[in-house]
Amino acid sequence: MCETCGCGDPELVPVEIQQSILAGNDRVAAHNREHFADAGLLAINLMGSPGSGKTALLEATATAWPHESRLGAISGDLATTRDADRLGAAGVPSLSITTGSSCHLDAELVHTALHDLDWHGLDLLFIENVGNLVCPAVYDLGQTVNVVALSVTEGEDKPLKYPVMFRKADLVLLTKTDLLPHLDVDVAAIEDGLARTMPAAAMIPVSAKTGEGITDWIAWLNRRLPTLAGAGSARTKTAAGR
Amino acid sequence: MHEYSIVQALMAQVEVEARKYRAVTVEKVELKIGELSGVEVDLLRTAFETFRERSICARASLEIEVVPARWSCPSCKELFQAGCRLQCPDCRQPAQLESGDEIVLQRIEMEAA
């Protein structure tokens, strides 16, 4: 008998949980984050729509990198290993994660990939997320920073339409600026949208094609490179690619 | 979409609790979902209804409290209005999200054996 109202219904046991549903993912993400910190590695979660120019940006970054640093990448896609193949050809050791039907990377997928990629000697690890402005923002991967690629062809209202993604961005790269002369895009409107969705709004206009902004982007990354104790910022030069 | 993987994680958490209490069925699941969590409540409901069949949650009702986004200045604690620029005009500090990104399992009600 129910003790509350005396009815014949079985007793219901209420249990307070107060736990994040993504606690499992977050535990693995914290584990990844520890690995990266121990290795003095800057892990970048690079997100953006399909076709926003993420892979081309990384190719241009690898080509323009001015000093001795080791870059590596993990590329997530529903199908094909094309992104990882392109980056490998650009001299960046890369591993593909083919997610099948999953629209985002999660901490477990990244953790598994770390078993197959020789990341210990890397200074920067780019985690190129699945092209998607919605789901990737929800999952902590253990990254150091979030960077969102937003191309000039996507429309000025994207920050306002996707506040969940842009809130999490440490930096927005406005890509494909070489196309601006052919478009009626108000860049100030994009900046205004970012100011209303990103607490510390920061945007660098870039073009993988012409190289515009790539130096500023590389400087932004270099300012965030952790320095290993006793090693300063010196890194050993290695053979390009694998 | 990712609401399916969130429901799978939710079911796994509920099952752990059900085993602890040797529950026969789960009658109610209460969640807190923030407006800026990236979780779409209607899709979450659909995913829950799909995945709960043949599980201990087969008869469970799903209650979702939606938490609005609240931004404040970390310095002067002033609240920001929705749609405003996220920098405090007085302190020049970036706004801090006080609430609105929760994806939380609050409470479950189970029928114990």
Side-chain angles (χ1 to χ4, degrees):
Chain A
M1 177 166 322
C2 166
E3 284 169 21
T4 310
C5 65
C7 69
D9 292 336
E11 189 115 15
L12 289 182
V13 178
V15 179
E16 295 292 318
I17 314 286
Q18 302 289 352
Q19 191 185 46
S20 167
I21 296 171
L22 292 178
N25 180 82
D26 293 348
R27 262 193 300 275
V28 180
H31 184 65
N32 292 342
R33 189 163 276 119
E34 249 178 53
H35 278 317
F36 297 145
D38 289 345
L41 183 153
L42 182 70
I44 302 112
N45 182 14
L46 179 62
M47 299 178 279
S49 297
S52 56
K54 296 182 289 301
T55 310
L57 173 77
L58 293 181
E59 287 172 313
T61 306
T63 306
W65 200 268
H67 59 75
E68 302 158 12
S69 258
R70 289 196 57 198
L71 314 184
I74 294 172
S75 287
D77 252 312
L78 269 71
T80 83
T81 61
R82 287 192 178 203
D83 291 351
D85 296 342
R86 280 169 62 181
L87 293 176
V92 179
S94 304
L95 194 87
S96 230
I97 301 176
T98 309
T99 69
S101 55
S102 182
C103 49
H104 59 273
L105 290 179
D106 60 29
E108 189 58 56
L109 285 170
V110 170
H111 187 250
T112 304
L114 292 176
H115 287 300
D116 296 326
L117 180 75
D118 186 11
W119 55 274
H120 290 85
L122 297 178
D123 301 313
L124 290 98
L125 177 68
F126 292 100
I127 305 169
E128 194 189 338
N129 217 312
V130 177
N132 181 338
L133 268 186
V134 180
C135 318
V138 180
Y139 292 84
D140 186 8
L141 307 176
Q143 70 279 8
T144 323
V145 290
N146 286 319
V147 175
V148 179
L150 173 69
S151 85
V152 294
T153 57
E154 288 179 68
E156 293 148 3
D157 54 4
K158 285 302 168 292
L160 297 173
K161 283 188 173 181
Y162 296 93
V164 175
M165 173 63 71
F166 289 97
R167 171 180 82 92
K168 297 253 177 117
D170 295 295
L171 177 70
V172 169
L173 295 170
L174 185 67
T175 59
K176 310 191 186 185
T177 53
D178 51 285
L179 295 176
L180 281 172
H182 309 284
L183 304 167
D184 288 327
V185 172
D186 181 358
V187 175
I190 297 173
E191 283 175 315
D192 185 73
L194 291 177
R196 294 173 197 279
T197 50
M198 237 175 125
M203 186 188 89
I204 302 177
V206 293
S207 166
K209 191 168 180 188
T210 65
E212 181 199 347
I214 298 293
T215 310
D216 291 341
W217 155 234
I218 288 174
W220 188 92
L221 288 166
N222 270 292
R223 284 197 293 276
R224 283 155 183 80
L225 272 178
T227 48
L228 294 170
S233 60
R235 300 284 192 257
T236 309
K237 200 175 179 81
T238 61
R242 283 274 172 92
Chain B
M1 301 307 288
H2 58 282
E3 281 78 7
Y4 282 84
S5 68
I6 287 171
V7 163
Q8 284 177 318
L10 170 64
M11 295 294 198
Q13 279 183 335
V14 171
E15 274 163 28
V16 165
E17 295 303 320
R19 269 197 296 276
K20 257 196 246 174
Y21 290 86
R22 285 196 278 269
V24 173
T25 60
V26 173
E27 296 296 312
K28 194 197 281 189
V29 174
E30 292 179 20
L31 307 181
K32 204 157 49 161
I33 302 291
E35 188 189 352
L36 277 181
S37 65
V39 175
E40 179 54 52
V41 167
D42 290 339
L43 289 177
L44 191 66
R45 279 196 188 284
T46 305
F48 183 76
E49 276 151 31
T50 306
F51 280 105
R52 68 176 176 173
E53 288 175 31
R54 286 176 290 176
S55 80
I56 200 167
C57 293
R59 278 175 24 199
S61 65
L62 182 65
E63 277 185 21
I64 302 177
E65 178 194 341
V66 178
V67 183
R70 252 168 53 119
W71 293 93
S72 69
C73 173
S75 251
C76 67
K77 310 295 177 198
E78 278 293 299
L79 287 179
F80 285 71
Q81 281 194 357
C84 272
R85 289 175 157 251
L86 293 178
Q87 190 188 50
C88 181
D90 302 317
C91 309
R92 315 302 291 162
Q93 293 289 309
Q96 211 164 59
L97 188 69
E98 285 198 14
S99 60
D101 66 349
E102 299 82 352
I103 307 176
V104 171
L105 170 58
Q106 292 253 83
R107 197 169 172 274
I108 51 182
E109 280 181 14
M110 299 178 283
E111 188 186 315

